[in-house]
Structure formats: structure tokens, C-alpha cells
């Protein structure tokens, strides 16, 4: 079964902790610290695989995790890095944060390989923390935390032309006429249950990709029928070929009604779809040539202001197919380079920390207290007992605007600042 959506949980690897140990050798009475660094946690990397055309690999498995980094060892031994996790997806897959629906990455164009989650940094061993005043450091740095994130994968087909229309109007037959595709063809609703791509050669060594999308019906944008499942695949197309049945079987339908009904569904799904050029194609003209000319005139009059081109074909006999092909090529040439690309809106490696809250308050003793998840996160991988670690933390408070906020509340040199269980005097 064609799968164009999936929701999974991904997790990067935790960084290995730094090691605490001291050099112990014969004739060396007091060896210095020699604890090694922990290994880096594995990254979660998405890669485009040309051999894939759907997301079925993610239907039956919920969670994917990279490897953790190993703890550092004695004698300055570095812990082994965690294994990266490589996840393969078809071209055109959009990766979104499940909680906010913000785009993390669009695996299209030049985005063939993308690190989505970065593994935690390896903690530094105690060999890094020896100073003139602290020659026997009995502590090491913890490894950086892993990042776990629920994401949505949405496949939006990379096709130049989208073939739309009511069910059973001849879209599959037209695609088979124009391209190398071999879709299932039958005289019953919803013959096409999955999007089908066909490559149409233009005769000059080039060509374009056309997508036959399952038939839309009224109410599709609200979830009626099958068509709404595949409306997302129209978003990337440059041109819409709107196939219309000249002789619909239902009494309440006619070509003009069908065009308006389908366009209403496109508009309901996304107003941007209505900005795409459309070619209105009346099919089955071999059955009623005179009626075809009459309906063509009606459509041209109704949509004169929108610039829609109206054409007549018979997908069964081949009449008008070459003219339609030339018109599609001409329209594509006029709209070259307009393929939809979804820009990144969210970086889970940085935005998660930036979004974490914190609070600044003044206790009854006049000390400025800084607490919250943002501070907890920072303290988790910073060793404040070392000079470098403490300087790093001070710069973090400045960069995040926390020092500025405390100054606005009245902070002056010599005042006490409390960060969770830590307490120190503030100096410029």
C-alpha cells in the first residue's frame, strides 16, 4: 500500500561521560589526572534514496535511536563515539516537528543528506581540569544529553504536472497515452488508489514528470472520498492539467459544474493552488463533437479572466493528444523554476534550548535567583568548578539576556546571584 505519511520518534545518542582517574605507575608517587573524554553521541541523519517512492518503511516501526557515546577511560583514553542513525526517505519528503507542525527540513533539491538531530557532546575527563590551584580534580564533565523528538514525515511528490479531475474522467488513460506509465484502467470510481508518476518525453532528449492523482470529489478538502489524501502532492507541481468529462453520467453534473467543483476543493485545501496555471481539457470528444465545441465555448467564456487554456481531446482515440502535449511544454517553459520548496522553520538542535523557559526573581534576602529548564539544561553539561566552565556559564547568562534582565531589576556589583543550588557574587 502506498504510504505518504508517517509519524515517528527519533532520538540522537547521549554523549559519554568524562572519566575521573589518576596516573598510577611504579616510582611515580603522585601521578596527575589522566581521565579521558567521553565519546560523542550518534547523530540522526536523513538521506534521500532514489530507489524509494513512499514511506512504507516507517509504518510498522515507531522509534529510531542513534547510539550513545562511551565513557572515557583512564590513561587519557577517549570513549568510542556512538553510531550515527541513517534514515532513508524518498525525494520530496518534508520533515516536520509533530508538536508545532513547523518544517524542519524539505528533502528536495540539494538537500540529499541532512543531520536532523545532533548527538550529545562527549564530557571532558578530569585531565582537562587541573590548574595551579586545583592539581587533583576529582570530577569530570557529564556527556551532553540526547535529543528525542516526535516528527511527521510527509511525502509531497516531485512532479512538474499534476493531473486532476473527478473520478473516472480518463486521467489514467491520458497518462498512459502521454507517458511511459502503465496505470490500472477501469470504468469504475477510484480506479487510481495511489498517485502514479509518468515520464513524458518531449523529443529533444528532455521531458517532464506528470502525476496522475486519485480523483477528487466534492468535499475532498474536508476529508470526503479518497482525493483529500493526495491533495498535498499537487503543491509542488508547476502546472495543473484539469481533465473534464464531456459526458458525465450523473444528471447533476456538466463540464462547467465539474471545473468549479474541483477548483473549490483546491481552493479549500490551499489558496496557493489556485495561483498555478491550469489547462482545462475536455475529454471524450469523439462521442459528441458538436457538444464539445459548445462546452469549450462555455468554459472559455466563464474563465476568460483567469487565462485558462481550454483544449479538446479523446484519450481513447488519441485525438488532440499531441496538441495538448505541446501546450503543456509551452506552459512549463513559461513557469520554469517555480517548483515549491518548503523553507526550514525549526531547528531542534538549537530552538529547543532557546525555547526553554527560565525565571528571575529576588528572594527575601535580596539575592537574584535564576531557575528553570533552560538553566537546568545548561548546568547538565557545564562544570562550574573549573575556571573555564564558570566563564562559559557567565557568557551563557549574558548571551541569553539573563544578566540584562537582572540588571533591569536592579542587579549591581557585589549582589548575590543564586543559580539553583549555586551561589556567587556578581562582578562586571
Amino acid at each position: 500500500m502506498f504510504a505518504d505519511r508517517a509519524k515517528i520518534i527519533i532520538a540522537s545518542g547521549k554523549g559519554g561521560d568524562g572519566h575521573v582517574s589518576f596516573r598510577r605507575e611504579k616510582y611515580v608517587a603522585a601521578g596527575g589526572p589522566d581521565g579521558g573524554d567521553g565519546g560523542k553521541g550518534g547523530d540522526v541523519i536523513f538521506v534521500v534514496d532514489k530507489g524509494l517512492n513512499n514511506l512504507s518503511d516507517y509504518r510498522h516501526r515507531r522509534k529510531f535511536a542513534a547510539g550513545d557515546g562511551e565513557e572515557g577511560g583512564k590513561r587519557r583514553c577517549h570513549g568510542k563515539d556512538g553510531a550515527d542513525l541513517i534514515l532513508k526517505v524518498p525525494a520530496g519528503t518534508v520533515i516536520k516537528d509533530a508538536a508545532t507542525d513547523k518544517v524542519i527540513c524539505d528533502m528536495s533539491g540539494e538537500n540529499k543528506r541532512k543531520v536532523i538531530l545532533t548527538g550529545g557532546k562527549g564530557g571532558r575527563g578530569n585531565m582537562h581540569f587541573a590548574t595551579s590551584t586545583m592539581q587533583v580534580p576529582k570530577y569530570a564533565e557529564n556527556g551532553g544529553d540526547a535529543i528525542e523528538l516526535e516528527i511527521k514525515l510527509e511525502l509531497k511528490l516531485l512532479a512538474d504536472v499534476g493531473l486532476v479531475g473527478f473520478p473516472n474522467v480518463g486521467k489514467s488513460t491520458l497518462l498512459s497515452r502521454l507517458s511511459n506509465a502503465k496505470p490500472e484502467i477501469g470504468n469504475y470510481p477510484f480506479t487510481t488508489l495511489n498517485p502514479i508518476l509518468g515520464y513524458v518525453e518531449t523529443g529533444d532528449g528532455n521531458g517532464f514528470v506528470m502525476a496522475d492523482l486519485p480523483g477528487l470529489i466534492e468535499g475532498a478538502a474536508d476529508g470526503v472520498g479518497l482525493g483529500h489524501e493526495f491533495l498535498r502532492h499537487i503543491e509542488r507541481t508547476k502546472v495543473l492539467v484539469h481533465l473534464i468529462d464531456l459526458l458525465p453520467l450523473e444528471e447533476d453534473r456538466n463540464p462547467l459544474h465539474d471545473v468549479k467543483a474541483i477548483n473549490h476543493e483546491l481552493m479549500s485545501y490551499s489558496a496557493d493552488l489556485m495561483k498555478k496555471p491550469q489547462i482545462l481539457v475536455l475529454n471524450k470528444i469523439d462521442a459528441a463533437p458538436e457538444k464539445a465545441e459548445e462546452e469549450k465555448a462555455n468554459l472559455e467564456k466563464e474563465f476568460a479572466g483567469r487565462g485558462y487554456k481550454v483544449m479538446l481531446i479523446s484519450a481513447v482515440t488519441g485525438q488532440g493528444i499531441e496538441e495538448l502535449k505541446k501546450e503543456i511544454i509551452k506552459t512549463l517553459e513559461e513557469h520554469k523554476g517555480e517548483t515549491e520548496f518548503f523553507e526550514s522553520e525549526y531547528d531542534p538542535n538549537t530552538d529547543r534550548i532557546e525555547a526553554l523557559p527560565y525565571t528571575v526573581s529576588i528572594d527575601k534576602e535580596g539575592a537574584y535567583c535564576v531557575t528553570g529548564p533552560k538553566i537546568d539544561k545548561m548546568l547538565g553539561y557545564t562544570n562550574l568548578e573549573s575556571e573555564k566552565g564558570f566563564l562559559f556559564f557567565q557568557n551563557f547568562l549574558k548571551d541569553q539576556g539573563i544578566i540584562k534582565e537582572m540588571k533591569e531589576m536592579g542587579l549591581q556589583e557585589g549582589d548575590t546571584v543564586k543559580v539553583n543550588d549555586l551561589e556567587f557574587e556578581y562582578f562586571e
Side-chain angles (χ1 to χ4, degrees):
M1 182 176 179
F2 184 84
D4 60 356
R5 285 181 295 179
K7 184 182 285 188
I8 61 174
I9 296 172
I10 55 175
S12 61
K14 179 189 180 302
D17 295 338
H19 190 70
V20 177
S21 61
F22 297 90
R23 185 180 170 198
R24 292 290 182 263
E25 294 181 30
K26 195 174 183 180
Y27 307 120
V28 179
D34 69 350
D37 300 342
K40 177 185 174 298
D43 298 335
V44 179
I45 305 170
F46 278 79
V47 176
V48 170
D49 187 334
K50 293 182 179 179
L52 296 177
N53 60 10
N54 63 62
L55 298 169
S56 59
D57 289 350
Y58 303 99
R59 289 190 52 150
H60 305 294
R61 187 176 168 188
R62 175 69 171 151
K63 187 171 182 178
F64 300 81
D68 293 337
E70 291 184 355
E71 181 184 352
K74 56 186 177 182
R75 296 181 181 177
R76 298 176 177 257
C77 289
H78 194 290
K80 184 180 178 181
D81 290 345
D84 292 337
L85 174 66
I86 307 294
L87 297 176
K88 297 179 180 180
V89 292
T93 301
V94 180
I95 304 168
K96 295 182 177 181
D97 174 48
T100 64
D101 212 39
K102 290 184 178 180
V103 175
I104 297 173
C105 183
D106 183 350
M107 301 300 292
S108 307
E110 298 300 316
N111 282 340
K112 306 294 185 186
R113 178 185 175 92
K114 183 73 174 178
V115 177
I116 300 299
L117 295 183
T118 303
K121 292 182 179 179
R124 291 174 294 172
N126 70 333
M127 65 180 181
H128 293 282
F129 300 109
T131 66
S132 58
T133 58
M134 176 64 72
Q135 297 183 12
V136 189
K138 296 180 180 179
Y139 52 83
E141 193 174 43
N142 293 330
D145 290 340
I147 302 175
E148 185 172 291
L149 184 69
E150 186 176 37
I151 60 171
K152 294 196 298 188
L153 304 177
E154 291 184 357
L155 176 59
K156 298 175 187 284
L157 293 180
L158 296 172
D160 301 298
V161 179
L163 192 53
V164 299
F166 268 76
N168 202 28
V169 295
K171 296 192 298 299
S172 297
T173 304
L174 175 59
L175 184 67
S176 66
R177 277 276 186 181
L178 284 170
S179 74
N180 56 359
K182 303 296 180 185
E184 180 183 354
I185 298 171
N187 189 28
Y188 50 92
F190 301 122
T191 302
T192 302
L193 300 179
N194 305 321
I196 298 173
L197 296 179
Y199 184 77
V200 183
E201 295 182 352
T202 58
D204 54 1
N206 297 313
F208 59 86
V209 177
M210 175 178 274
D212 172 17
L213 301 168
L216 298 173
I217 60 175
E218 292 180 82
D222 297 321
V224 178
L226 296 176
H228 76 288
E229 293 286 341
F230 305 102
L231 276 167
R232 72 179 64 84
H233 297 304
I234 306 175
E235 292 183 72
R236 293 192 193 271
T237 57
K238 301 172 187 175
V239 178
L240 296 181
V241 172
H242 193 150
L243 197 60
I244 309 149
D245 194 338
L246 176 65
L247 303 169
L249 297 178
E250 293 84 350
E251 294 182 2
D252 58 342
R253 282 177 53 194
N254 60 61
L256 183 57
H257 162 272
D258 284 5
V259 174
K260 288 183 176 181
I262 296 299
N263 279 353
H264 175 74
E265 299 308 321
L266 299 179
M267 180 70 183
S268 298
Y269 180 79
S270 171
D272 290 338
L273 295 183
M274 294 307 298
K275 299 176 184 177
K276 295 181 184 293
Q278 277 194 40
I279 302 174
L280 305 182
V281 183
L282 276 165
N283 189 25
K284 306 179 184 179
I285 62 171
D286 55 303
E290 294 181 3
K291 183 174 177 61
E293 292 295 338
E294 178 185 341
E295 293 294 352
K296 178 183 178 183
N298 290 338
L299 291 175
E300 288 176 334
K301 180 180 179 181
E302 179 70 24
F303 299 104
R306 296 197 184 182
Y308 291 173
K309 180 76 174 180
V310 183
M311 305 195 71
L312 303 176
I313 70 161
S314 171
V316 172
T317 67
Q319 183 181 349
I321 295 294
E322 281 303 312
E323 290 79 3
L324 172 59
K325 184 175 177 180
K326 290 177 182 178
E327 183 63 28
I328 294 172
I329 294 170
K330 174 187 172 185
T331 309
L332 283 173
E333 197 63 34
E334 293 170 353
H335 295 83
K336 189 180 294 184
E338 295 185 10
T339 302
E340 183 77 18
F341 182 82
F342 299 91
E343 297 291 339
S344 176
E345 302 172 311
Y346 176 68
D347 183 350
N349 297 298
T350 57
D351 294 349
R352 288 176 78 254
I353 298 176
E354 293 299 320
L356 289 174
Y358 70 89
T359 58
V360 179
S361 60
I362 303 175
D363 66 14
K364 59 184 180 180
E365 297 173 354
Y368 291 80
C369 303
V370 186
T371 57
K374 185 188 287 282
I375 306 303
D376 296 339
K377 180 76 175 176
M378 187 63 186
L379 291 176
Y381 56 83
T382 306
N383 182 4
L384 297 187
E385 294 186 46
S386 72
E387 294 177 13
K388 290 182 180 179
F390 190 75
L391 179 61
F392 181 75
F393 185 69
Q394 281 185 309
N395 289 333
F396 170 79
L397 295 178
K398 290 179 182 178
D399 294 342
Q400 297 296 314
I402 298 173
I403 295 292
K404 180 181 178 182
E405 186 172 335
M406 287 192 291
K407 283 185 174 182
E408 291 174 351
M409 296 172 65
L411 178 69
Q412 296 181 358
E413 281 200 53
D415 286 346
T416 300
V417 176
K418 293 181 180 179
V419 180
N420 288 354
D421 296 331
L422 302 170
E423 186 175 317
F424 56 90
E425 288 187 41
Y426 172 71
F427 290 100
E428 295 284 351

Coordinates of all heavy atoms in Angstrom, one line a residue, residues 104-134:
I104 N 11.1 21.2 9.6 CA 12.5 21.1 10.0 C 13.4 21.0 8.7 O 14.4 21.7 8.6 CB 12.7 19.8 10.8 CG1 11.9 19.9 12.1 CG2 14.2 19.6 11.1 CD1 11.9 18.6 12.9
C105 N 13.0 20.2 7.7 CA 13.7 20.1 6.5 C 12.9 19.6 5.4 O 12.0 18.7 5.6 CB 15.0 19.2 6.8 SG 16.0 19.1 5.3
D106 N 13.1 20.1 4.2 CA 12.5 19.6 3.0 C 13.6 18.8 2.2 O 14.5 19.4 1.7 CB 11.9 20.7 2.2 CG 11.2 20.3 0.9 OD1 11.2 19.1 0.6 OD2 10.6 21.1 0.2
M107 N 13.4 17.5 2.1 CA 14.4 16.7 1.5 C 14.2 16.7 -0.1 O 13.8 15.7 -0.7 CB 14.4 15.2 2.0 CG 14.6 15.1 3.5 SD 16.2 15.7 4.0 CE 17.3 14.5 3.3
S108 N 14.5 17.8 -0.6 CA 14.3 18.1 -2.1 C 15.5 18.9 -2.6 O 16.2 19.5 -1.8 CB 13.0 18.8 -2.4 OG 11.9 18.2 -1.8
G109 N 15.6 18.9 -3.9 CA 16.7 19.7 -4.5 C 18.0 19.3 -4.0 O 18.4 18.2 -4.1
E110 N 18.8 20.3 -3.4 CA 20.1 20.0 -3.0 C 20.2 19.3 -1.6 O 21.2 18.8 -1.2 CB 20.9 21.3 -2.8 CG 21.1 22.1 -4.2 CD 21.8 21.2 -5.2 OE1 22.8 20.6 -4.8 OE2 21.4 21.2 -6.4
N111 N 19.1 19.2 -0.9 CA 19.0 18.5 0.4 C 19.0 17.0 0.2 O 17.9 16.4 0.3 CB 17.8 19.0 1.2 CG 18.0 20.3 1.8 OD1 19.2 20.8 2.0 ND2 17.0 21.0 2.2
K112 N 20.1 16.4 -0.1 CA 20.2 15.0 -0.2 C 20.5 14.3 1.1 O 20.3 13.1 1.2 CB 21.3 14.6 -1.3 CG 21.1 15.3 -2.6 CD 19.9 14.8 -3.3 CE 19.8 15.5 -4.7 NZ 18.5 15.2 -5.4
R113 N 21.2 15.0 2.0 CA 21.6 14.4 3.3 C 21.5 15.5 4.3 O 22.1 16.6 4.1 CB 23.0 13.9 3.1 CG 23.6 13.3 4.4 CD 25.1 12.9 4.2 NE 25.7 12.5 5.5 CZ 25.8 11.2 5.9 NH1 25.3 10.3 5.1 NH2 26.4 10.9 7.0
K114 N 20.9 15.3 5.4 CA 20.7 16.3 6.4 C 20.7 15.7 7.8 O 20.0 14.7 8.1 CB 19.3 17.0 6.2 CG 19.0 18.1 7.2 CD 19.8 19.3 6.8 CE 19.4 20.5 7.7 NZ 20.2 21.7 7.4
V115 N 21.6 16.3 8.7 CA 21.6 16.0 10.1 C 20.4 16.6 10.8 O 20.4 17.9 10.9 CB 22.9 16.4 10.8 CG1 22.9 16.0 12.2 CG2 24.1 15.7 10.1
I116 N 19.5 15.9 11.3 CA 18.3 16.4 11.9 C 18.5 16.6 13.4 O 18.1 17.6 14.0 CB 17.1 15.5 11.6 CG1 16.8 15.4 10.1 CG2 15.8 16.1 12.3 CD1 16.5 16.8 9.4
L117 N 19.1 15.6 14.1 CA 19.4 15.7 15.5 C 20.9 15.4 15.7 O 21.4 14.4 15.1 CB 18.6 14.7 16.3 CG 17.1 14.9 16.3 CD1 16.5 13.8 17.3 CD2 16.7 16.2 16.8
T118 N 21.5 16.3 16.4 CA 23.0 16.1 16.7 C 23.1 15.4 18.1 O 22.5 15.7 19.0 CB 23.6 17.5 16.8 OG1 23.4 18.2 15.6 CG2 25.1 17.3 17.0
G119 N 24.0 14.4 18.1 CA 24.3 13.7 19.3 C 24.9 14.6 20.3 O 25.6 15.6 20.1
G120 N 24.8 14.2 21.6 CA 25.4 14.9 22.7 C 26.9 14.9 22.7 O 27.5 14.0 22.3
K121 N 27.5 16.0 23.1 CA 28.9 16.1 23.1 C 29.5 15.2 24.2 O 28.9 15.0 25.3 CB 29.4 17.5 23.4 CG 29.1 18.5 22.3 CD 29.6 19.9 22.7 CE 29.3 20.9 21.5 NZ 29.8 22.3 21.9
G122 N 30.7 14.7 24.0 CA 31.3 13.9 25.0 C 31.8 14.7 26.1 O 32.3 15.8 25.9
G123 N 31.6 14.3 27.4 CA 32.1 15.0 28.5 C 33.6 15.0 28.6 O 34.3 14.0 28.2
R124 N 34.2 16.0 29.1 CA 35.7 16.1 29.3 C 36.1 15.4 30.5 O 35.5 15.5 31.6 CB 36.2 17.5 29.3 CG 36.0 18.3 28.0 CD 36.4 19.7 28.1 NE 35.4 20.4 28.9 CZ 35.6 21.7 29.3 NH1 36.6 22.4 29.0 NH2 34.7 22.2 30.1
G125 N 37.2 14.6 30.4 CA 37.8 13.9 31.5 C 38.5 14.8 32.5 O 38.7 16.0 32.2
N126 N 38.8 14.3 33.7 CA 39.4 15.2 34.7 C 40.8 15.7 34.3 O 41.3 16.6 34.9 CB 39.4 14.6 36.1 CG 40.4 13.4 36.1 OD1 40.7 12.8 35.2 ND2 40.9 13.1 37.4
M127 N 41.4 15.1 33.3 CA 42.7 15.6 32.9 C 42.7 17.1 32.3 O 43.7 17.8 32.3 CB 43.3 14.7 31.7 CG 42.5 14.8 30.4 SD 43.3 13.7 29.2 CE 42.1 13.9 27.8
H128 N 41.5 17.6 32.0 CA 41.3 18.9 31.5 C 41.2 20.0 32.6 O 41.2 21.2 32.3 CB 40.1 19.0 30.6 CG 40.2 18.2 29.3 ND1 40.9 18.7 28.2 CD2 39.7 17.0 29.0 CE1 40.8 17.8 27.3 NE2 40.1 16.8 27.7
F129 N 40.9 19.5 33.8 CA 40.6 20.5 34.9 C 41.7 20.7 35.9 O 41.4 21.4 36.9 CB 39.3 20.0 35.6 CG 38.1 19.8 34.6 CD1 37.7 18.6 34.3 CD2 37.6 21.0 34.0 CE1 36.6 18.5 33.4 CE2 36.5 20.8 33.2 CZ 36.0 19.6 32.8
A130 N 42.9 20.3 35.6 CA 44.0 20.5 36.5 C 44.5 22.0 36.3 O 44.7 22.4 35.2 CB 45.1 19.6 36.3
T131 N 44.6 22.7 37.4 CA 45.1 24.1 37.4 C 46.2 24.2 38.5 O 46.4 23.3 39.3 CB 44.0 25.1 37.6 OG1 43.5 24.9 39.0 CG2 42.8 24.9 36.6
S132 N 46.8 25.4 38.5 CA 47.8 25.6 39.6 C 47.2 25.5 41.0 O 47.9 25.2 41.9 CB 48.5 27.0 39.3 OG 47.5 28.0 39.4
T133 N 46.0 25.8 41.1 CA 45.3 25.8 42.4 C 44.5 24.5 42.6 O 44.1 24.2 43.7 CB 44.4 27.0 42.6 OG1 43.4 27.0 41.6 CG2 45.2 28.3 42.6
M134 N 44.2 23.8 41.6 CA 43.5 22.5 41.7 C 44.2 21.5 40.9 O 44.0 21.2 39.7 CB 42.1 22.7 41.1 CG 41.2 21.5 41.0 SD 40.8 20.8 42.6 CE 39.6 22.0 43.2

